[in-house]
C-alpha cells in the first residue's frame, strides 16, 4: 500500500518546549484523514513539517516516500490551505487564479473558475470583501487547481459558522471523491468527523495518541457498562478510559470482539466521538491493571 504521508519518530521543538515529539504514523494514499486535537496539541506544527515549511529536529517525515523540506518536486504534489486562509485580500479570485497559473507548473485554472462559479462566488470582488465561508472556498479552489496528490488543510472550518462549515466540508468531499487526492485536515471540532473522514490521527500535547483507519479503530474498541467494583472482563487488552457512578463503571476498552458476554457487563457501540474523547482525556493509554488500580 502506498503511503501518502509517513512520520517516524518525528519531533519539533521551539526552544526547550516540544511542539511535537516521537510522532509516528502512516497515512495510506487515497484516504481522507482528520488530524484531531485541542489547541496547542501540535497539529499546525505537524502540517507545516509535512508541507516542508519546517525542518524536523528529530526523526523523519515523508510525502510519497520523499522528505518535503527543500524538495520542490515534492512540494509540487502538495496542496496546502493554511489556517485562516491568508489570501492576498486586495486581489480578486480571478486574479489569484491567474497568479497561481504563473507560480505553478501544473495548474488547472478552469477547475478553480468552475468551482467558484458553481458556488456563485463573485470572481471580480477583492477576496477581503467576501464572507469567511466564500474566502475559504476560494482558498480550497486554489489548492485544488494545483491538482495535488496530497491536500493538507489547517483548521479549514474553525472560523466558519455551522452552515458555511457544512458547505465547505461538502465541497471538499465532493472534490476528493472525483480525484484520487489524499486529504489530511486538522480540526479541534469533533462534529461531522464520522461523516467526513475514513482515517484518524489524534494528537494530544505533542504526542500521537491514536492513528489508523476509522473502521479498524472502531472495530478494535468496545464501550462496556458494568458493576462498579467488578474487574474488566477477560479479553480486554487496555482500559483507555473509565468513568464511574456510585454503582456503575463505563469503560472504553481496547479489545476485539469479546469471547463471550461477560456476566454483569453490557456492551454498547462505540462512536468516533467516544473514541476521540477517550484518547484525548488520557495523556497515555495504560494497561488494564494499572488503569484499574488508578481509577477504581
Ligand atoms: P495546534 O495547531 O494543535 O493548535 P501548534 O502546532 O500551533 O498546535 O502548537 C504546538 C505547540 O507549539 C504549542 O505549545 C505552541 O504554543 C507552540 N508553538 C507553535 N508555534 C510556535 C512558534 N513559532 N514559537 C514558539 N512556540 C510555538
Amino acid at each position: 500500500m502506498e503511503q501518502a504521508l509517513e512520520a517516524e519518530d518525528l519531533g519539533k521543538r521551539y526552544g526547550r518546549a516540544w511542539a511535537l515529539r516521537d510522532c509516528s504514523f502512516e497515512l495510506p494514499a487515497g484516504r481522507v484523514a482528520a488530524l484531531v486535537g485541542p489547541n496547542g496539541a501540535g497539529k499546525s506544527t505537524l502540517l507545516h513539517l509535512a508541507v516542508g515549511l519546517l525542518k524536523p529536529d528529530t526523526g523523519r517525515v515523508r510525502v510519497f516516500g520523499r522528505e518535503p523540506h527543500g524538495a520542490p518536486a515534492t512540494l509540487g504534489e502538495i496542496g496546502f490551505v493554511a489556517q485562516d486562509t491568508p489570501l492576498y485580500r486586495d486581489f480578486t479570485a480571478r486574479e489569484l487564479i491567474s497568479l497561481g497559473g504563473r507560480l505553478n507548473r501544473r495548474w488547472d485554472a478552469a477547475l478553480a473558475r468552475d468551482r467558484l462559479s458553481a458556488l456563485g462566488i463573485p470572481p471580480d470582488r477583492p477576496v477581503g470583501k467576501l464572507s469567511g465561508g466564500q474566502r475559504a472556498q476560494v482558498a480550497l479552489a486554489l489548492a485544488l487547481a494545483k491538482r495535488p496528490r496530497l491536500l493538507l488543510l489547517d483548521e479549514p472550518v474553525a472560523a466558519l459558522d455551522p452552515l458555511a462549515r457544512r458547505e465547505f466540508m461538502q465541497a471538499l468531499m465532493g472534490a476528493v471523491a472525483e480525484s484520487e487526492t489524499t486529504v489530511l485536515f486538522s480540526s479541534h471540532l469533533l462534529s461531522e468527523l464520522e461523516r467526513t473522514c475514513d482515517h484518524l490521527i489524534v494528537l494530544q500535547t505533542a504526542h500521537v495518541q491514536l492513528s489508523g483507519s476509522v473502521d479498524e479503530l472502531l472495530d478494535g474498541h468496545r464501550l462496556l457498562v458494568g458493576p462498579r467494583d467488578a474487574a474488566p472482563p477477560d479479553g480486554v487488552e487496555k482500559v483507555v478510559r473509565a468513568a464511574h457512578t456510585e454503582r456503575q463503571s463505563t469503560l472504553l476498552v481496547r479489545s476485539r470482539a469479546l469471547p463471550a458476554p461477560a456476566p454483569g457487563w453490557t456492551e454498547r457501540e462505540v462512536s468516533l466521538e467516544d473514541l476521540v474523547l477517550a484518547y484525548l482525556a488520557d495523556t497515555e493509554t495504560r494497561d488494564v491493571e494499572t488503569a484499574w488500580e488508578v481509577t477504581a
Side-chain angles (χ1 to χ4, degrees):
M1 193 186 300
E2 188 183 22
Q3 303 299 335
L5 180 64
E6 292 162 90
E8 198 186 317
D9 301 325
L10 182 64
K12 176 75 201 168
R13 64 172 178 234
Y14 295 106
R16 282 195 304 175
W18 289 91
L20 204 64
R21 194 155 199 197
D22 302 330
C23 173
S24 297
F25 66 85
E26 291 177 339
L27 172 59
R31 297 267 167 91
V32 176
L35 174 61
V36 183
N39 289 328
K43 303 184 295 299
S44 293
T45 302
L46 175 56
L47 292 173
H48 287 173
L49 286 161
V51 83
L53 288 170
L54 291 174
K55 193 165 177 253
D57 287 317
T58 64
R60 258 167 299 282
V61 60
R62 291 196 187 90
V63 173
F64 295 107
R66 286 176 299 187
E67 298 192 34
H69 186 75
T74 306
L75 298 186
E77 305 200 296
I78 306 174
F80 183 46
V81 178
Q83 208 160 11
D84 304 325
T85 54
L87 302 169
Y88 297 104
R89 291 178 161 245
D90 294 335
F91 283 59
T92 66
R94 197 190 297 281
E95 289 165 340
L96 288 170
I97 292 170
S98 115
L99 184 64
R102 270 176 257 150
L103 296 175
N104 292 280
R105 205 160 33 92
R106 202 171 46 197
W107 187 253
D108 193 339
L111 177 135
R113 275 196 298 269
D114 291 350
R115 290 192 66 79
L116 297 181
S117 125
L119 291 162
I121 293 175
D124 293 316
R125 192 176 299 168
V127 292
K129 298 207 165 124
L130 299 176
S131 72
Q134 289 176 322
R135 224 171 9 252
Q137 296 283 9
V138 173
L140 177 61
L142 292 170
L144 290 168
K146 215 174 154 188
R147 293 244 176 242
R149 291 177 75 200
L150 174 65
L151 177 59
L152 303 169
L153 305 102
D154 195 358
E155 298 271 6
V157 298
L160 305 184
D161 64 57
L163 183 61
R165 199 178 287 163
R166 174 143 321 170
E167 283 172 356
F168 183 91
M169 290 313 290
Q170 277 171 352
L172 176 61
M173 293 303 120
V176 299
E178 293 160 12
S179 67
E180 287 176 3
T181 306
T182 308
V183 177
L184 176 62
F185 65 94
S186 68
S187 178
H188 67 275
L189 305 164
L190 296 184
S191 59
E192 304 197 19
L193 277 192
E194 213 131 4
R195 231 172 319 150
T196 50
C197 63
D198 56 15
H199 199 95
L200 186 70
I201 301 168
V202 178
L203 264 189
Q204 168 77 300
T205 46
H207 291 87
V208 174
Q209 294 291 103
L210 185 69
S211 82
S213 104
V214 166
D215 285 347
E216 281 171 26
L217 291 174
L218 289 176
D219 212 35
H221 290 82
R222 310 258 163 278
L223 197 62
L224 301 174
V225 182
R228 166 138 196 170
D229 290 327
D234 289 346
V236 167
E237 291 163 35
K238 286 195 175 182
V239 175
V240 180
R241 176 136 172 87
H244 306 285
T245 62
E246 210 171 299
R247 289 157 167 250
Q248 276 192 330
S249 293
T250 302
L251 309 181
L252 192 133
V253 302
R254 206 170 82 197
S255 153
R256 299 269 152 207
L258 293 174
W265 290 92
T266 51
E267 203 176 309
R268 297 200 188 140
E269 205 166 312
V270 179
S271 70
L272 199 52
E273 197 165 328
D274 292 332
L275 198 62
V276 172
L277 288 174
Y279 275 88
L280 286 181
D282 272 13
T283 46
E284 58 186 286
T285 54
R286 296 161 298 191
D287 65 41
V288 174
E289 278 169 32
T290 331
W292 198 246
E293 277 164 21
V294 171
T295 54

